[in-house]
Amino acid sequence: MSYAIIGFGKIGHALAEAFARNGIEVAVATTRDPASFAADAAAIGSTIIPKTLAEAVKADVIFLAVRFESHPEVAKALHSWKGKTIIDAMNTQAPLEELDGLPSSTFVAKAFTGARLVKGFNHLVAAVLGQDPAVHGGRRVVFLASDDDGAAADVAALAEKLGFAPVQLGGLSEGGWLVHARGRSWGHLIFKDLVKFD
Ligand SMILES: NC(=O)c1ccc[n+]([C@@H]2O[C@H](COP(=O)([O-])OP(=O)(O)OC[C@H]3O[C@@H](n4cnc5c(N)ncnc54)[C@H](OP(=O)(O)O)[C@@H]3O)[C@@H](O)[C@H]2O)c1
């Protein structure tokens, strides 16, 4: 299984920290020449591989860590996203009318035709997400929501490998709303930094 993080800003860095901590290789890409952020990637760890967007989207599992407005541009990188698992770590405060009344990840899924989409890793601020999730003798929770049970299970397994405790919230039109921003009001689980004790 190969992994990529599209967007190497605050959330991209936080996700890269988790991969580096666990010695798992991941490509990182932005709109820029990978050489321009190679030192930044190397400072996080040797498993963080700077790539062009075109190269990075060859990965099986792809985190979207760009600003919400940028996702349509990322979606143009492939004609079909069939066979790809997309993890939508984006938030938006766009009013629901601008999202056709849909949960934001359902709206995003329309742009990534054919992909298996999971919303997740979006509910914590980057400074918390980037920390070691082993805290107080438990593991920091990440919430996952998807209309594809198989994809949700695969991403849960990845979250476990990265040291987090995944909590499945169900479909995007159910649990997805709990980690969704509606206009200026945030879903009830956004910013809730929870720890699970096994
Ligand atoms: N910051 C947080 O605490 C936080 C918490 C939860 C969720 N989020 C969500 O995470 C997403 C990213 O937030 P952020 O704070 O990390 O933003 P950011 O610091 O502004 O980083 C955005 C990254 O996306 C890259 N980018 C922009 N357009 C791109 C494109 N078309 N293709 C590839 N890369 C592109 C940018 O690089 P270049 O412009 O150099 O190409 C930059 O590396 C947002 O949707 C946000 O809502 C953020």
Side-chain angles (χ1 to χ4, degrees), residues 6-12 29-32 53 65-68 70 73-74 89-91 122 124-126:
I6 309 304
F8 196 39
K10 290 187 271 307
I11 281 290
T30 69
T31 57
R32 288 172 288 135
L53 181 62
V66 299
R67 299 280 167 133
F68 190 80
S70 304
E73 197 56 40
V74 177
M90 301 180 296
N91 287 318
N122 67 298
L124 294 169
V125 293

Side-chain angles (χ1 to χ4, degrees), residues 103-168:
S104 63
S105 293
T106 307
F107 186 84
V108 170
K110 292 199 295 179
F112 291 84
T113 325
R116 309 190 311 159
L117 190 133
V118 178
K119 185 175 189 72
F121 297 84
N122 67 298
H123 87 285
L124 294 169
V125 293
V128 173
L129 183 69
Q131 293 169 21
D132 188 339
V135 277
H136 306 302
R139 290 174 298 145
R140 178 165 284 125
V141 166
V142 288
F143 297 112
L144 304 177
S146 180
D147 293 336
D148 184 315
D149 291 345
D154 290 350
V155 175
L158 172 61
E160 298 256 5
K161 274 171 77 175
L162 295 175
F164 293 92
V167 172
Q168 302 280 11

Side-chain angles (χ1 to χ4, degrees), residues 161-183:
K161 274 171 77 175
L162 295 175
F164 293 92
V167 172
Q168 302 280 11
L169 299 178
L172 295 174
S173 60
E174 303 148 14
W177 285 118
L178 296 171
V179 284
H180 175 100
R182 303 184 194 210

